[in-house]
Amino acid sequence: MVEIHGIEWDDERQAIALVLSGEPTEAESRLINELMIEFAAFLGREMESAGEYVREWIDKDGGVH
């Protein structure tokens, strides 16, 4: 059984990583992988939304001065 303690940035791999304790079962591994895929998709959508906001702000302000 595994326990998830949080998410952190892994400098060595330049990626997000889960902080775990214990050894995940096969079912837990599948669930963790599905959760990470959904989390990555969420981050991608949020980054796109933030990018659109910045583009709109720059266009409204007449560009970067």
Side-chain angles (χ1 to χ4, degrees), residues 1-62:
M1 184 170 179
V2 69
E3 187 174 330
I4 300 172
H5 298 281
I7 298 173
E8 65 182 21
W9 181 254
D10 183 330
D11 283 329
E12 186 176 312
R13 294 187 304 170
Q14 294 292 297
I16 57 173
L18 288 177
V19 180
L20 306 172
S21 64
E23 194 64 35
T25 64
E26 189 173 323
E28 289 172 329
S29 292
R30 284 193 303 273
L31 178 60
I32 289 168
N33 287 335
E34 290 173 21
L35 288 171
M36 291 302 288
I37 289 168
E38 287 302 315
F39 184 64
F42 166 77
L43 288 178
R45 290 189 302 272
E46 290 300 307
M47 292 300 291
E48 180 60 31
S49 177
E52 289 174 16
Y53 174 79
V54 169
R55 285 190 292 277
E56 290 171 6
W57 177 76
I58 289 172
D59 290 344
K60 181 178 142 189
D61 191 38

